[in-house]
Amino acid sequence: MFKLSLPFLGNVAAVVPAALRVGADTRSASAPHPLIEFARLDTARALARLGVDGEGLDDAQVEARIEEFGENVVAQEKKRSFVVEIAVRFATNPINVLLTILAVVSWLGDDAMGAAIMLAMVFMAVFLSYFQESRTGKAVEKLRSMVSNTATARRKPAPAEDEEAPSAPIVAQKIEVPIERLVPGDVVHLSAGDMIPADLRLLAAKDLFVNQSALTGESMPVEKFAGIDVEAGSPLEAKNLCFMGSNVISGSATGVLVATGSRTYFGALAGSLIGRRVQTSFDKGVQRFAWLMIRFMAVMVPLVFVINGLVKGAWLDAFMFAVAVAVGLTPEMLPMIVTINLAKGAMAMAKKDVIVKRLNAIQNFGAIDVLCTDKTGTLTQDKVILERHIGVDGDEDQAVLEYAWLNSHYQTGLKNLLDVAVLGAADADTAQRLQGEYTLVDELPFDFSRRRMSVIVRDRSGRHFLIAKGAVAEMLGISTSLHHARGEAQLSADAASESREVARDLNDDGFRVIALGVREIEAKGAYSLADESGLTLMGFLAFLDPPKDSVADAIRALNDNGVAVKILTGDNDIVTRNVCRQVGFDVERFLVGPEIEAMTEEELTVAARDTQVFARLNPQQKVRVIEALHRDGHVVGFLGDGINDGPALRAADVGISVDTAVDIAKEAADIILLEKSLMVLEEGVLEGRKVFGNILKYIKMTASSNFGNMFSVIGASAFLPFLPMAPVQILLNNLLYDFSQTAVASDDVDKEYLAQPRQWDMRAITRFVLCIGPISSIFDYATFAVMWFVFKANAPEHATLFQTGWFVESLLSQTLIVHVIRTGRLPFVRSRASLALTVTGIAICLVGALLPYSPLAAKFGFVPLPGMYWLWLTLILVAYMALTQFVKTRLMRRFGML
C-alpha cells in the first residue's frame, strides 16, 4: 500500500495550475475549475468524463494514458553544470565583468600584480556566493522524493499470450503499482496512514478523515465523503476531492484519479519552484550602482586619455594612465566588502537564532517595509487546544470536560487532534480518578452520516452510561433534554434554538464547536446505533489554535521599526479575524481568496495598500498579493513553513522559513528562523539594516573619494607638464584605501539609521557623490598648489616629489574622512568608529606616510618628503574634514538621513 515516511511534510497549499487538463483541453476563463466540475458530478458521470468504468484499467489503457498525460511525476529542474553556474554568476554582475576586463588590460600593460589582485577578488566573490547558495538547487529533488513507492490500484490483468479471447469479463485485481505509473482513470484504494498519490474524486468512503493542513493551513482533519458536492466554491472546499500531498488520518476510501503529475496541485508547486528567482532589491541596487560607476568611467576615462595625450604627446603613457584611472574609479573591493559584510552579518544573526542561506538576503531582510506572514504558528501556537468546556447556558462546566475525557479516552479508534486536546485539558488527578471510576463496555465508532461517536462506560456501582460527542446539529437531533445549573429540562424548540445560538456565538469567535450528550442506559449484551437517542445535552466543547503571548509586542515592535505586518493565510476568515482581535492586530480591511481572484492586477495593487489580512488564499493568490506590493514600491518579506508557501517564498524579496518547516520550504527560503517568532524577526531586521548600512558606507565613501580624485586628475592632466600620479601609484593608493575599509563590517550603525527600512536609493547616492566628491578635489588642488609653489615641484625633473606629495595626501584624506562620512552625527564626539576600523585606518595612514622613506619607495616612484610638508598636510586634512562635516550636515537637514 502507498505508505510513506515523510517527516518533512507539513503545509502544502493548493496552487491552481495555469492549465490543468482533465478530460477537455481548454476551457473558458469563466468556466469553473475542472476539479470543481468533478465534485459536482455524480459517480457515473465523473467516470464517464474520464472515459472509464471504475472497474480498473487494463495495460493498453494505461500505456495510452501515459503516452497522453505522461508519468505521475512532478516537474523536474534541469541542473546547470558547475562551469555554467559559475559563468552565469560571473556574467550577471557588471562589476565582476568590468574588473576582469581591467585586469586583462593591466596584465597586457605589464601590471601582473594589479591584474592578479583584481581577478582574485572576482573569483572569491563568485565562488563564495556559489557555495553559499548551492543547496537551494535541492528543493525540487526534495519535492519529487515525497511521491515515491507504490499505491494500491485496481487493474485488469492482461491475458496470456497463447490464450484465446476470454469468454467471461476480466476481473480487476488490487495490485501495488509504482506511483509514477498511475494515470487519470486509475482506481486506487486508501486507508489510514496513506498519502494521496494524485488528485482524485472519491467513489466510496468510510469514516474518512484527511489531513489537509498542508493545503489550507487549517490544523483540523477534514471529513471526506463520496457524494456529490455542489456547494464547494473551490476545489479545496470540496468534500469529495482529495489531493496529492495530503494524507489519510483515519478511515478508508476508494477514488478515481482525475489529475496526475504536473497537472496536480502538488505538481504545479514543483513547477513554480523551477526557474530563476525574482531579482531582489539588493541585486537590483548593486547593479544600478555598478552601472552608475560605469557611466562615470565612460565620461572620465576617455577625457583623461585625450587630455594627457594632447598635452604631453605620449599616447601610450596616456593610455596606461587612463587604465589606472579606470581602476581607480572602479570600486574593485565592492564584491569582497559586500561578501565580508554579509558573512559577518550572517554570523551575528546566527547568534540570534536566524540562519542565513543566501547572503544577499541579509540586506533585503533589513530593507523590508512589509512583512507578509501566515497565521498558523506565527500569530498562533500551531496546535489545537480545548479552550472552553461550557454548559448549554454558556457557563464553564467541569462535568462537560469529564464526560468528554471519558469519551476520548475510551474510544479505541485513531485519536484525532480534538481527542488529544480533550485528553490534555484534564489534569493528572482528574484523569486518574475517572479511570478508576469508569471502565469501557462498548463503543459506537464515528461515521460521516451520523457525525458523532459514542462510548458506553460502567461506573463502580454497575450503572451504564452512553456518552456521545459530535456535530451540534446531529447531537441536538438525538437529545430530548438538556442539563443546566438548575437541573434537567425538556429540550423544547426554544431551548434548542438558544443552544444553537450559544454554539453559533462560539463559531463566530473562531472556535470549532462540538456538542456533548449523555444518557444512562440499561446494561445489555450489545449496543447499537438505535441506543443513540433520548440523550441529555450537557454542553459544548470549543477548540482553538491559541494566539502566542508575544505576538502583540512583536507586531508593535515591527511597526515601530517601519515594518507593516500583513497576514496571508489559507485559513478561513472567521478564525483569522478572531485571532487578530485576540492579539490586538487592527484589521481595517479584509480580503478573501475569491475576491482577489476577481480583481485585476491594478485593482489588487490598490487594494493591497490598505488591507491587513488576506484569508482563504491559495499559493497563486499569495504570490499575486506579493507582486501587487512590489508594484507599489514595497520591499516584501514572506514568512512561511509549508510546501504551499514555496512560490511565495521565491516571489518575495526575502523568503523566511523556520527549522520546523517542511524541507521544501526551507530549501526555497533565503533565511531560516530557529524559532517561529515575530520577535526573532525584529532582531533579524535590525541586523539586516546594520549590514546594509555598513555596505552603503563603503559605497558612498569610495565612490565620492574616487569621483573627487578623478576631478583632480582631469585638472592636473590639463595643466601639469607631467602625470599628477604614476599609474602604479594610483593602483597602490586604491588598494591601500580599500584594505583600510575591510573592517567596515565591524562598525556600529547609528540608532536613528536603524529605525526605518533602508533601500537602495541611487538618487541619494549620486547626490552624495556629487556633493562630497568635489570637496576632496578642492583640497587636492590645495595640495597641488603647496607642492608647486611652496616646494617648487613644478618641472618634470621634480615630478616624483609632486606625485609623492599628492599620493600621501590623497591616501590619508580619504582614509580619515571615513570617520566623518560613516555617521550622521558629530564624529569622534557623538559617534566613534569601531576599534577594528580605527586600527586599520591608522595602520594604512602609517603605511602611506612611511612608504616614501622605505626601501620600497623607488619601486613605486616615491621620494622623501620635506618636513614642512607634514604641517601643510595637517592643515589641509583638518580643513577638509571640517568642510565635509559642514556640507554633510546641510545635506541631512535638507534631505534627511544620508
Side-chain angles (χ1 to χ4, degrees):
M1 187 54 207
F2 180 60
K3 301 179 187 290
L4 297 181
S5 176
L6 300 174
F8 57 90
L9 180 61
N11 285 342
V12 178
V15 167
V16 180
L20 174 56
R21 180 162 60 89
V22 184
D25 287 325
T26 59
R27 60 191 177 99
S28 67
S30 60
H33 192 280
L35 290 179
I36 283 293
E37 295 177 18
F38 275 101
R40 295 170 180 173
L41 297 175
D42 59 33
T43 299
R45 294 172 63 195
L47 293 172
R49 174 78 179 272
L50 291 167
V52 297
D53 57 9
E55 295 299 322
L57 303 177
D58 58 32
D59 290 347
Q61 290 174 305
V62 170
E63 293 302 326
R65 289 171 185 248
I66 287 180
E67 181 71 22
E68 180 179 1
F69 298 103
E71 291 193 330
N72 184 32
V73 294
V74 296
Q76 300 185 18
E77 186 170 26
K78 186 177 181 180
K79 294 179 110 179
R80 291 190 293 219
S81 67
F82 173 78
V83 174
V84 172
E85 184 70 31
I86 293 297
V88 169
R89 290 173 183 273
F90 165 78
T92 53
N93 188 320
I95 289 182
N96 288 337
V97 176
L98 179 60
L99 283 174
T100 303
I101 293 172
L102 293 174
V104 170
V105 173
S106 297
W107 181 76
L108 293 174
D110 206 23
D111 183 12
M113 179 63 72
I117 291 173
M118 285 184 278
L119 287 176
M121 285 187 258
V122 171
F123 288 141
M124 189 170 296
V126 169
F127 280 92
L128 276 178
S129 65
Y130 169 75
F131 289 117
Q132 185 67 219
E133 299 174 21
S134 60
R135 291 181 300 166
T136 34
K138 301 175 183 176
V140 175
E141 293 179 13
K142 289 283 187 182
L143 187 55
R144 288 201 307 271
S145 69
M146 296 178 66
V147 283
S148 57
N149 290 333
T150 63
T152 303
R154 192 184 297 167
R155 291 277 178 88
K156 295 176 181 177
E161 293 183 3
D162 57 350
E163 184 180 347
E164 297 181 0
S167 56
I170 298 176
V171 178
Q173 302 174 354
K174 289 183 182 180
I175 61 172
E176 295 298 310
V177 177
I179 295 302
E180 63 271 13
R181 299 291 295 175
L182 291 173
V183 296
D186 257 325
V187 176
V188 296
H189 297 266
L190 304 170
S191 59
D194 290 347
M195 297 296 296
I196 309 298
D199 293 351
L200 59 85
R201 162 69 154 84
L202 291 173
L203 302 177
K206 181 179 181 182
D207 305 338
L208 183 66
F209 281 79
V210 174
N211 178 9
Q212 246 179 218
S213 61
L215 299 159
T216 63
E218 293 187 22
S219 304
M220 308 294 183
V222 179
E223 302 167 322
K224 297 287 185 177
F225 64 98
I228 299 174
D229 189 352
V230 297
E231 297 180 356
S234 70
L236 288 178
E237 296 174 353
K239 294 293 186 181
N240 54 4
L241 299 177
C242 297
F243 303 91
M244 175 188 281
S246 57
N247 62 292
V248 179
I249 295 296
S250 61
S252 59
T254 303
V256 59
L257 303 189
V258 298
T260 57
S262 60
R263 293 179 175 86
T264 63
Y265 277 33
F266 193 97
L269 282 167
S272 68
L273 294 177
I274 292 175
R276 294 181 58 189
R277 285 178 175 268
V278 174
Q279 193 178 40
T280 65
S281 64
F282 182 83
D283 301 323
K284 295 173 183 175
V286 170
Q287 291 210 2
R288 286 199 300 269
F289 174 70
W291 285 111
L292 174 66
M293 299 310 296
I294 289 172
R295 286 194 293 272
F296 280 150
M297 288 176 57
V299 174
M300 293 288 192
V301 174
L303 193 59
V304 169
F305 171 63
V306 171
I307 290 175
N308 276 284
L310 292 174
V311 172
K312 301 169 182 64
W315 289 97
L316 180 59
D317 290 344
F319 175 75
M320 293 310 300
F321 184 70
V323 170
V325 168
V327 175
L329 268 176
T330 304
E332 65 272 13
M333 287 289 284
L334 180 61
M336 278 296 299
I337 293 292
V338 168
T339 302
I340 290 171
N341 272 275
L342 294 178
K344 186 178 183 300
M347 290 186 289
M349 292 170 75
K351 295 177 182 178
K352 299 177 180 179
D353 293 337
V354 179
I355 306 301
V356 178
K357 285 184 68 238
R358 291 181 66 227
L359 288 180
N360 286 2
I362 295 178
Q363 185 275 324
N364 297 329
F365 208 3
I368 59 175
D369 57 355
V370 175
L371 174 66
C372 298
T373 178
D374 190 14
K375 171 187 68 67
T376 305
T378 305
L379 300 185
T380 65
Q381 299 177 20
D382 197 14
K383 66 178 183 179
V384 177
I385 66 167
L386 177 61
E387 181 72 9
R388 301 188 66 188
H389 43 87
I390 61 175
V392 293
D393 50 8
D395 296 329
E396 295 294 320
D397 191 334
Q398 180 66 16
V400 172
L401 173 60
E402 294 185 2
Y403 281 123
W405 189 93
L406 289 170
N407 178 283
S408 295
H409 177 73
Y410 283 119
Q411 67 110 343
T412 59
L414 185 66
K415 289 179 172 56
N416 59 34
L417 294 176
L418 303 186
D419 291 313
V420 173
V422 169
L423 295 175
D427 58 59
D429 291 340
T430 300
Q432 186 175 8
R433 174 175 57 81
L434 292 174
Q435 278 187 277
E437 291 180 359
Y438 296 91
T439 56
L440 177 65
V441 176
D442 200 357
E443 68 177 320
L444 303 173
F446 180 93
D447 64 55
F448 181 81
S449 60
R450 292 162 46 242
R451 293 168 58 85
R452 61 180 176 268
M453 70 85 53
S454 303
V455 297
I456 296 90
V457 295
R458 180 177 61 246
D459 66 9
R460 289 176 177 174
S461 65
R463 295 192 302 170
H464 287 55
F465 296 90
L466 184 147
I467 307 170
K469 71 176 190 298
V472 173
E474 280 68 16
M475 290 299 298
L476 284 171
I478 60 173
S479 299
T480 55
S481 61
L482 53 82
H483 175 83
H484 48 67
R486 299 181 301 276
E488 289 191 13
Q490 288 297 116
L491 186 61
S492 63
D494 290 341
S497 178
E498 292 174 1
S499 297
R500 291 189 188 94
E501 188 64 29
V502 171
R504 190 177 301 113
D505 289 342
L506 291 171
N507 284 136
D508 290 342
D509 284 337
F511 292 101
R512 177 167 181 176
V513 182
I514 62 175
L516 181 102
V518 177
R519 172 192 175 189
E520 184 174 353
I521 190 171
E522 64 180 72
K524 55 183 177 180
Y527 295 88
S528 66
L529 299 182
D531 294 314
E532 290 181 325
S533 60
L535 272 65
T536 298
L537 183 67
M538 297 294 297
F540 304 99
L541 303 165
F543 300 88
L544 184 69
D545 183 2
K548 290 182 176 179
D549 297 333
S550 62
V551 167
D553 292 338
I555 291 177
R556 192 179 307 111
L558 285 169
N559 289 337
D560 290 343
N561 284 294
V563 180
V565 178
K566 295 182 184 291
I567 310 301
L568 275 63
T569 179
D571 210 345
N572 71 71
D573 47 331
I574 294 177
V575 172
T576 305
R577 284 178 188 272
N578 180 58
V579 171
C580 290
R581 184 167 59 249
Q582 290 187 48
V583 301
F585 185 68
D586 294 331
V587 181
E588 297 178 4
R589 187 172 181 187
F590 207 100
L591 281 178
V592 294
E595 293 175 325
I596 292 173
E597 196 68 31
M599 290 182 176
T600 65
E601 301 304 324
E602 293 74 18
E603 290 172 339
L604 182 57
T605 300
V606 174
R609 292 174 188 166
D610 304 319
T611 302
Q612 292 80 32
V613 178
F614 304 82
R616 291 171 58 196
L617 301 182
N618 63 42
Q620 277 190 335
Q621 291 163 348
K622 290 182 181 180
V623 171
R624 285 192 65 200
V625 172
I626 291 172
E627 290 174 343
L629 293 169
H630 278 157
R631 287 191 296 272
D632 210 26
H634 295 288
V635 179
V636 183
F638 180 80
L639 173 59
D641 61 358
I643 301 173
N644 59 322
D645 295 320
L649 286 168
R650 291 175 68 92
D653 291 283
V654 53
I656 309 162
S657 194
V658 292
D659 67 333
T660 55
V662 301
D663 280 7
I664 192 68
K666 288 189 286 188
E667 291 293 347
D670 306 307
I671 288 175
I672 297 175
L673 308 180
L674 299 183
E675 178 186 351
K676 193 173 183 181
S677 166
L678 293 181
M679 198 65 79
V680 173
L681 269 180
E682 184 223 353
E683 295 178 356
V685 165
L686 295 179
E687 189 64 39
R689 292 177 187 174
K690 181 178 178 180
V691 169
F692 181 58
N694 283 332
I695 291 174
L696 211 57
K697 287 178 188 178
Y698 170 80
I699 288 174
K700 288 181 176 180
M701 292 184 296
T702 302
S704 60
S705 177
N706 289 355
F707 184 67
N709 285 343
M710 292 313 104
F711 268 120
S712 304
V713 165
I714 290 174
S717 298
F719 300 107
L720 293 178
F722 47 80
L723 293 177
M725 198 182 295
V728 69
Q729 293 170 346
I730 292 178
L731 293 174
L732 179 63
N733 184 302
N734 219 40
L735 181 62
L736 288 174
Y737 169 72
D738 283 337
F739 181 79
S740 73
Q741 300 309 299
T742 55
V744 74
S746 67
D747 198 23
D748 294 324
V749 179
D750 297 339
K751 289 183 179 179
E752 50 268 30
Y753 184 89
L754 299 177
Q756 294 296 324
R758 300 296 169 184
Q759 303 179 26
W760 287 96
D761 186 346
M762 285 300 111
R763 293 180 60 186
I765 293 175
T766 303
R767 181 172 58 242
F768 186 91
V769 169
L770 293 177
C771 292
I772 301 296
I775 297 176
S776 68
S777 291
I778 294 174
F779 294 94
D780 283 341
Y781 285 117
T783 303
F784 295 164
V786 169
M787 299 307 296
W788 185 275
F789 295 108
V790 177
F791 299 112
K792 306 303 180 182
N794 49 19
E797 58 267 24
H798 298 135
T800 53
L801 177 60
F802 187 99
Q803 292 168 346
T804 303
W806 187 36
F807 173 87
V808 173
E809 183 271 339
S810 175
L811 178 62
L812 268 62
S813 63
Q814 63 183 342
T815 302
L816 292 175
I817 204 65
V818 164
H819 294 272
V820 177
I821 296 176
R822 57 166 289 277
T823 177
R825 303 175 179 178
L826 184 64
F828 307 113
V829 178
R830 295 191 60 204
S831 178
R832 295 183 178 88
S834 68
L835 179 62
L837 184 59
T838 302
V839 169
T840 55
I842 293 174
I844 292 303
C845 287
L846 288 175
V847 169
L850 295 175
L851 265 176
Y853 308 97
S854 72
L856 296 174
K859 181 176 179 62
F860 292 104
F862 297 135
V863 295
L865 292 163
M868 284 300 294
Y869 168 85
W870 299 104
L871 177 60
W872 283 102
L873 178 62
T874 301
L875 293 175
I876 288 171
L877 293 177
V878 171
Y880 176 34
M881 296 177 72
L883 182 58
T884 302
Q885 174 65 22
F886 173 77
V887 173
K888 180 192 73 175
T889 303
R890 295 297 298 269
L891 284 173
M892 290 184 61
R893 287 177 179 173
R894 180 168 182 181
F895 299 105
M897 182 65 63
L898 295 178

